[in-house]
Amino acid sequence: MAFTNLQVDTETLPRAATLDLHPLPPAHRREILAQGLITTGIFVLPSIIPLLIPAIPSAVRGVLWLVPVLVLLLGTLLTALALVRFRRKGYALRQHDVVFRTGLFWRKTTVLPFDRVQHAEVTQGPLQRRFGLATLKFFTAGGSSVDLAIEGLLADDAERLRETVLERAGHG
Amino acid sequence: MAEPETAPGMEADWRRVSPVAAMDFLVVMVRQGFFQALPALAVAFVSAYQSDSFPFGLVVAGLVFLLLLALAWSVLSYLRFGYRLFPERIEVRKGVIHRETLKLAFDRIQNVSVYEPFYMRPFGMAVVGIDTAGSSGKEIRLPGIELEKARRLRQELVLAVEGEAHVDARPVEADAPDDGRHNARGEVLLRLSRRDVVIAGLTANFMLWAAIAFATVMGSGDTADNVISWLINRLNLMDVVDALREAGGQWLLGLVVLIMVCVAMLILPLISVIGALFRYDGYTLSVDGDRFRCASGLLSRHDNSVRTHKIQAVAWKQNAIALLLGRINLHLRQASAGSGQEAANQLGVKTQRTFQVPSLHPGEAVALTARFLPDCRAGEIRWTGVDRRAFMLVNAGWVLAPFVIALVALSLLVHPVFLFALVLLVALVLVITHRCWKQSGWAVNGDHGMIRQGFIGSSTTLFPLAKVQRIDLVQTPLQARRGLAHLVVHLASHTVTMHWMRHADAERFRDLAIERAERARQAWF
């Protein structure tokens, strides 16, 4: 008896798994690339400096070559992973909730009912501003942390989404 | 400066509290000062202890001076302290140098409690604590209010919060006996006997109880860590160890450690029971309308209340000893205001008020759960287990991997006897993991979800599906291949996770909970 209730109900339940999720805009991919370039550059450039100093013995310099190469490889790998993750990200709005999927290895699907949204904010980093992107954050009760953050939305979309969600949440 | 918008004539409206409040200010100040200064004190004490000339007189004089200063300060605080009530808000003014006026609208009030500290009980005074829903988790404290008046004030505030102040004209606490011990309006659900309280002490987390016993004397706050580090400093444990090793070698040291552990094993439950007696003596749980109240305490009386719709979840805690004695401790989880976690990490800061119903028989637990969560039939849960292979493989695997490598290496390099140790260890870990797997489970019963975890005992969270805040479903590629997933349920009070569910089940659980939450469209808060 305890379980059958669920069995019957679930046949007619709206299923979050069958949704078509919106991908994030291509501008977000460019932003990820730019971010990867900048971050890798910041680490690679200083590691080249020792190679240009003639006072360092050439034997040591031969080993030091490895540092920028490794940093470059690591940066490329992380950027590639971020790009793959970008492809997996997706969001959807249903009548009563917002669904967001993310994650490379730990693929996480979050369902957040509009009713539960306490407040929402749109933030824009300097790089995001250049690409016309924004991050939309939702906060619910019972914690100080962000409950759902959708990164890399077009700034207009983020604002519109926020309006829609807050309107349906009954916050006006 | 402090209250610019107050007309001069309204100054008379400020109500004073009893001079006993000065004592309360002093206690709060000394308590906070003590916790702030505890690490410094410990260091100072140890260094003074080790130096040859201990300036005893100077230290005492300094302490007396500080105490006198605190006393003067608390008297000034008392003179400055005042509160006044408006139809829709309460104002409190306080502060000696940094003066402030707090204005609190009634609809922001989360909870009102009456607390009788032991130093106020002889005067028949109490402290009214007002919890706010604000993000700061701040509490307004009105000390030194006559008990009757305090109860009336709470009643007024509570009714004002509920917006029905004009309806209820019943005399407050009319049926309260004179000693104030078993004051309970409405229907009494549960009274704990001394025996129950002793069992509550035995079944609770030992260190927690030690902290509570300490906190009962010193005030509140999670101070166990500081106390332990202070004790270690104080006793110069390392010196003792060295001395023992010199005197009798390793064996004597081992013997002493063994004896100490045995003594600790005996003392900890004792401390725990004493703590429980202080905290839970005369425990009475009652219900009045939609409001549950529990009152308890030997020296200081605690009086907590919670409204039915504020309950986010009920947790059943049963550790090994509780399992042996056939008892269950029940915790009510309420919405945590703002950054509760941060506050909990700070010393001496009052953490979220816990509403606990200790040492229940299983039947009582089921009956009470049905009161706290209407329609929750906790007596007839049919648990569904989680995937055994994945649970065992991952949990036992992570624990065993480093040991297997280390022990195999040792058996190859040092002596084959380590292989025997490896076999024993693997068997032990497998047995423990298997037990943990057996204790994990989930269930859906009507409108309620249930999630259970544990080792020997268990911890079960029961929550109305309609109160779910959001749900995450997490899946790795390997899990996807085996059709498994983790379900993470975020409640307003806390987060519960069920690992290694079947993916289809997790999805159905998620869809059902979300559907209930959205269809209810009710205030969860």
Side-chain angles (χ1 to χ4, degrees), chain A residues 9 17 97 107 109-110 116, chain B residues 466 468 472 475 507 516 518:
Chain A
D9 258 336
D97 50 42
R107 290 168 199 170
T109 313
T110 301
R116 303 300 195 244
Chain B
V468 163
D472 296 338
Q475 200 180 32
E507 263 191 349
R516 285 291 148 84
E518 285 167 2

Side-chain angles (χ1 to χ4, degrees), chain A residues 1-2 5-7 9-10 13 15-17 96-97 105 107-111 113 115-116 118 140-142 147, chain B residues 382 444 446 466 468-477 492 507-508 510-512 514 516-518 521 524:
Chain A
M1 144 84 211
N5 193 7
L6 175 62
Q7 295 277 349
D9 258 336
T10 48
L13 277 178
R15 295 193 56 197
H96 298 291
D97 50 42
F105 295 110
R107 290 168 199 170
K108 185 165 94 171
T109 313
T110 301
V111 183
D115 273 4
R116 303 300 195 244
Q118 295 280 14
T140 67
D147 290 287
Chain B
R382 194 189 297 170
V444 172
V468 163
Q469 293 287 316
R470 84 188 143 103
I471 291 190
D472 296 338
L473 212 113
V474 185
Q475 200 180 32
T476 62
E507 263 191 349
R508 257 186 300 177
R510 191 253 321 262
D511 291 342
L512 182 71
I514 293 291
R516 285 291 148 84
E518 285 167 2
R521 286 199 75 86
W524 49 271

Side-chain angles (χ1 to χ4, degrees), chain B residues 129-426:
Chain B
I130 305 173
D131 284 339
T132 63
S135 55
S136 57
K138 218 173 186 177
E139 188 204 47
I140 288 184
R141 206 177 150 90
L142 301 178
I145 295 181
E146 282 164 45
L147 191 54
E148 265 321 293
K149 211 171 150 192
R151 287 186 184 146
R152 212 157 45 231
L153 183 63
R154 177 178 62 187
Q155 190 78 0
E156 275 171 31
L157 289 175
V158 162
L159 291 178
V161 172
E162 291 161 20
E164 47 187 275
H166 52 285
V167 182
D168 202 311
R170 282 180 287 173
V172 182
E173 312 286 354
D175 54 349
D178 283 341
D179 64 347
R181 169 60 60 96
H182 296 296
N183 64 81
R185 247 165 55 107
E187 179 194 351
V188 173
L189 293 177
L190 179 79
R191 283 207 168 96
L192 290 187
S193 66
R194 277 274 154 77
R195 186 162 173 271
D196 292 328
V197 173
V198 169
I199 289 175
L202 286 175
T203 57
N205 186 339
F206 287 155
M207 283 327 289
L208 191 75
W209 278 116
I212 288 175
F214 182 75
T216 324
V217 182
M218 285 312 302
S220 61
D222 205 3
T223 54
D225 280 351
N226 274 37
V227 175
I228 289 166
S229 65
W230 179 78
L231 269 180
I232 288 174
N233 281 341
R234 170 72 183 82
L235 298 174
N236 283 318
L237 272 185
M238 283 303 130
D239 292 354
V240 178
V241 167
D242 287 342
L244 277 172
R245 196 177 279 142
E246 272 173 36
Q250 291 293 354
W251 289 110
L252 185 63
L253 178 66
L255 194 67
V256 169
V257 168
L258 193 71
I259 291 170
M260 297 274 282
V261 168
C262 289
V263 168
M265 293 288 278
L266 286 176
I267 282 179
L268 281 178
L270 195 69
I271 292 174
S272 178
V273 168
I274 291 169
L277 283 173
F278 272 107
R279 184 71 176 82
Y280 284 140
D281 185 66
Y283 186 99
T284 311
L285 177 74
S286 58
V287 60
D288 178 29
D290 70 340
R291 182 171 291 274
F292 293 98
R293 281 182 49 192
C294 73
S296 67
L298 189 63
L299 291 179
S300 303
R301 300 282 298 165
H302 298 258
D303 191 337
N304 287 339
S305 69
V306 60
R307 295 178 69 195
T308 314
H309 70 268
K310 297 253 162 120
I311 300 170
Q312 304 293 321
V314 172
W316 290 20
K317 304 266 181 189
Q318 193 177 39
N319 61 13
I321 299 165
L323 186 71
L324 203 70
L325 297 170
R327 300 295 183 116
I328 291 166
N329 292 326
L330 207 144
H331 298 210
L332 295 189
R333 310 301 287 266
Q334 304 169 56
S336 55
S339 50
Q341 206 55 45
E342 287 162 34
N345 291 337
Q346 256 175 297
L347 266 180
V349 172
K350 197 166 200 163
T351 50
Q352 189 196 4
R353 229 185 226 100
T354 52
F355 196 110
Q356 299 191 9
V357 192
S359 71
L360 295 170
H361 293 286
E364 290 173 324
V366 169
L368 278 178
T369 306
R371 297 299 293 256
F372 293 133
L373 304 175
D375 301 326
C376 181
R377 292 183 304 280
E380 38 185 276
I381 306 173
R382 194 189 297 170
W383 294 105
T384 309
V386 296
D387 189 80
R388 182 172 161 197
R389 219 174 88 181
F391 187 96
M392 297 284 292
L393 211 65
V394 171
N395 287 310
W398 276 116
V399 176
L400 281 178
F403 288 106
V404 169
I405 294 169
L407 286 174
V408 165
L410 279 173
S411 65
L412 290 177
L413 298 172
V414 184
H415 195 279
V417 79
F418 284 103
L419 272 183
F420 182 65
L422 179 65
V423 171
L424 273 184
L425 187 76
V426 169

Side-chain angles (χ1 to χ4, degrees), chain B residues 30-51:
Chain B
V30 168
R31 195 167 77 201
Q32 277 175 356
F34 182 77
F35 286 127
Q36 304 281 326
L38 200 60
L41 278 180
V43 171
F45 193 91
V46 170
S47 57
Y49 186 76
Q50 281 165 347
S51 72

Side-chain angles (χ1 to χ4, degrees), chain A residues 25-104:
Chain A
H28 185 38
R29 188 208 304 266
R30 292 198 291 277
E31 187 223 341
I32 292 172
L33 268 174
Q35 175 135 37
L37 272 175
I38 292 170
T39 319
T40 315
I42 285 175
F43 283 99
V44 167
L45 287 179
S47 63
I48 291 177
I49 292 172
L51 303 174
L52 307 175
I53 300 171
I56 297 175
S58 57
V60 178
R61 260 189 286 171
V63 180
L64 282 180
W65 262 114
L66 281 175
V67 178
V69 170
L70 283 178
V71 171
L72 201 64
L73 276 178
L74 190 70
T76 317
L77 183 72
L78 287 179
T79 311
L81 287 179
L83 285 176
V84 177
R85 195 168 63 209
F86 158 79
R87 291 225 313 231
R88 297 212 183 279
K89 281 186 194 172
Y91 68 95
L93 236 57
R94 296 197 291 179
Q95 218 175 336
H96 298 291
D97 50 42
V98 50
V99 180
F100 181 60
R101 183 177 303 163
T102 183
L104 195 62

